Amino acid sequence: MTSIPKSLVKHFSQSRSLVTITRERIDSNDIHGFIVDYDDQWILLKREYDFHIDGWLLLRIADISALKSTPTNEFQKALLEEEGLLDRVDFAAKIPEGGVRHLLDNFDRRAVIILEDEIQNDLFVIGFIDEVTQHNVSVDFITGIGQIDDEKSVLDIESITSITYDSNYSLFYQRYFERHQKY
């Protein structure tokens, strides 16, 4: 695993560069987006996917094996700007002072969130946060058919590798639950 220099993260954040992130231990697919904020452990990314600005993604810095902005990234950023899509990136967004635990503890309980533990337990959990303790987060897990599982999913906060919210995927489920008043 490569250690990503904080100066590089800072540079890409300040320059509002479209970046490519590689996580070799976790995924063969790169992640693209804009680094909006960072702390010692996490990067807050406004994700870009196929020219769509698609939600917020928090990634653990320790899992990142490569971080770059290529000429292709620069060209695609220019295209996003020409289309007026960069206006959808809130570059003032911040990771809360208390970090990820604070973010989870104060997360809107009616909003759908995706938590992943991609290394220790290979977990993908989508649902509504139920409770946050010092070490764990419990989630009312949404099944693939839009039902709340009877058992809560519990993740160790330290094992979470990514957190996604306000994405096209999570918002589809959220709107479904809002329309049908199921939660």
Side-chain angles (χ1 to χ4, degrees):
M1 176 173 49
T2 306
S3 178
I4 302 300
K6 197 167 192 171
S7 60
L8 186 63
V9 174
K10 180 179 181 178
H11 167 72
F12 288 142
S13 176
Q14 288 179 339
S15 64
R16 298 181 172 183
S17 298
L18 178 60
V19 298
T20 297
I21 295 174
T22 305
R23 299 182 307 155
E24 288 176 351
R25 287 189 324 158
I26 294 174
D27 193 353
S28 60
N29 297 314
D30 290 333
I31 297 168
H32 305 279
F34 297 92
I35 299 172
V36 174
D37 195 24
Y38 59 93
D39 62 16
D40 290 336
Q41 296 180 327
W42 295 89
I43 286 176
L44 176 61
L45 198 72
K46 191 64 168 180
R47 189 156 189 194
E48 179 274 335
Y49 182 79
D50 288 344
F51 297 106
H52 294 280
I53 304 300
D54 189 26
W56 293 103
L57 176 62
L58 278 142
L59 293 174
R60 241 181 13 189
I61 293 174
D63 301 319
I64 297 172
S65 53
L67 173 63
K68 61 188 174 189
S69 184
T70 66
T72 300
N73 291 119
E74 292 172 20
F75 176 68
Q76 290 178 348
K77 178 186 174 185
L79 291 177
L80 289 166
E81 195 164 22
E82 283 182 18
E83 292 285 332
L85 295 174
L86 276 188
D87 296 340
R88 295 183 186 174
V89 179
D90 179 3
F91 286 102
K94 298 286 180 207
I95 297 172
E97 289 276 331
V100 165
R101 189 191 166 291
H102 183 78
L103 177 126
L104 295 172
D105 199 25
N106 291 287
F107 197 78
D108 182 349
R109 298 301 197 253
R110 296 163 303 182
V112 172
I113 193 166
I114 300 168
L115 305 172
E116 293 185 81
D117 169 355
E118 299 160 288
I119 295 177
Q120 291 181 2
N121 298 303
D122 195 25
L123 289 175
F124 173 92
V125 175
I126 181 171
F128 302 95
I129 292 178
D130 176 60
E131 182 182 23
V132 179
T133 67
Q134 185 65 30
H135 301 287
N136 297 310
V137 57
S138 67
V139 176
D140 290 322
F141 177 73
I142 300 171
T143 68
I145 57 171
Q147 296 178 353
I148 302 293
D149 197 58
D150 291 337
E151 287 189 39
K152 298 196 184 305
S153 297
V154 179
L155 288 91
D156 179 342
I157 293 172
E158 291 295 317
S159 70
I160 294 172
T161 55
S162 71
I163 300 169
T164 304
Y165 54 96
D166 290 343
S167 69
N168 190 50
Y169 190 85
S170 65
L171 289 172
F172 257 80
Y173 278 99
Q174 185 173 314
R175 288 189 299 268
Y176 168 79
F177 278 88
E178 288 169 354
R179 279 192 308 272
H180 296 278
Q181 299 176 348
K182 288 187 160 205
Y183 190 77

